[in-house]
Amino acid sequence: LTVLFTVCCLPLKASHYYYKQISLKEGLPSTVRCVYTEPKGFVWIGTEYGLNKFDGVQFTQYLNKENDATSLLGNIVRELFVDRDQRLWVGCSNGLQYYLPEKDVFCTVPFEENLTPSVAEIVQLQNGEIWLVATGRGLFKVDRENNKVVALGEINKICGTQSINHIYEDRFNRIWISTDRQGLVCLDASGRKK
């Protein structure tokens, strides 16, 4: 699979586009699942074989290393998300981590009951909470005070299924949840079904 990076150059009178094609030949491994570009210019690329940081010239690859709790949790990276504090969250096929750039390491945020679900989506609500969609396991939220991920049990019950696809919060603080079998569920700001 090829990833195209397009940088727009805007001279005074004409627009020109520059792109660079990056593929397996240039060192990009496996299938690309997600991409995030930092304000500093680094491009993070989640693949089915690790997480890659591209600095414009070369890749730094992050992989799971056995017996290294600060390495990538799993090599299948499904989701990348940056919160309001500019913290990079990494959703793997077996859990959740965030990146500490000053140490170049990853910190795992464990799920309650020692679950190891596949994290499919990460969002930050307007109130600052970080919610997750875990494939086949429903909705969760990050409990930052206790450094763990907890199930949103009541909301999962309201949805009528744990097969959730996406979460979206609109400008009225309504949370829209798309599901596989129950259609679209809308919650008001207090968490009640609308």
Side-chain angles (χ1 to χ4, degrees):
L1 183 68
T2 300
V3 175
L4 297 176
F5 294 99
T6 304
V7 178
C8 180
C9 303
L10 299 173
L12 293 176
K13 293 187 180 183
S15 294
H16 299 282
Y17 296 94
Y18 169 78
Y19 75 93
K20 181 175 185 173
Q21 183 172 338
I22 300 172
S23 65
L24 293 171
K25 286 190 308 186
E26 289 78 23
L28 182 64
S30 194
T31 302
V32 173
R33 305 280 290 187
C34 48
V35 178
Y36 172 73
T37 303
E38 283 186 3
K40 296 176 188 174
F42 292 118
V43 179
W44 291 89
I45 304 165
T47 74
E48 290 189 3
Y49 189 66
L51 180 63
N52 300 273
K53 181 171 67 172
F54 184 64
D55 65 5
V57 177
Q58 65 183 8
F59 286 99
T60 301
Q61 186 176 43
Y62 298 91
L63 296 169
N64 175 265
K65 296 176 187 161
E66 198 172 330
N67 300 319
D68 182 354
T70 65
S71 72
L72 193 63
L73 186 60
N75 287 332
I76 300 175
V77 177
R78 298 193 62 209
E79 174 75 337
L80 296 172
F81 176 77
V82 175
D83 66 20
R84 290 184 201 131
D85 298 325
Q86 298 306 304
R87 177 174 279 177
L88 176 67
W89 294 86
V90 181
C92 295
S93 62
N94 59 339
L96 179 71
Q97 290 183 301
Y98 59 87
Y99 177 65
L100 291 176
E102 61 278 1
K103 295 181 179 178
D104 197 32
V105 298
F106 295 89
C107 295
T108 301
V109 183
F111 280 72
E112 64 184 355
E113 299 177 18
N114 295 317
L115 294 175
T116 57
S118 182
V119 177
E121 185 174 32
I122 306 168
V123 298
Q124 186 168 28
L125 302 181
Q126 292 174 32
N127 66 8
E129 290 180 351
I130 294 179
W131 284 21
L132 314 171
V133 173
T135 303
R137 299 277 191 164
L139 293 172
F140 291 81
K141 104 175 171 177
V142 175
D143 175 353
R144 290 189 193 203
E145 284 184 25
N146 296 304
N147 192 46
K148 66 180 179 178
V149 180
V150 296
L152 291 168
E154 288 302 312
I155 294 175
N156 287 326
K157 284 180 190 173
I158 290 169
C159 290
T161 180
Q162 291 187 330
S163 294
I164 294 174
N165 299 315
H166 299 286
I167 315 164
Y168 173 76
E169 184 178 21
D170 68 21
R171 63 187 174 118
F172 302 107
N173 298 93
R174 293 178 298 205
I175 299 170
W176 297 85
I177 304 165
S178 69
T179 70
D180 274 348
R181 296 176 187 87
Q182 302 298 321
L184 193 60
V185 176
C186 181
L187 305 176
D188 64 18
S190 66
R192 291 189 302 261
K193 192 172 183 179
K194 294 200 60 97

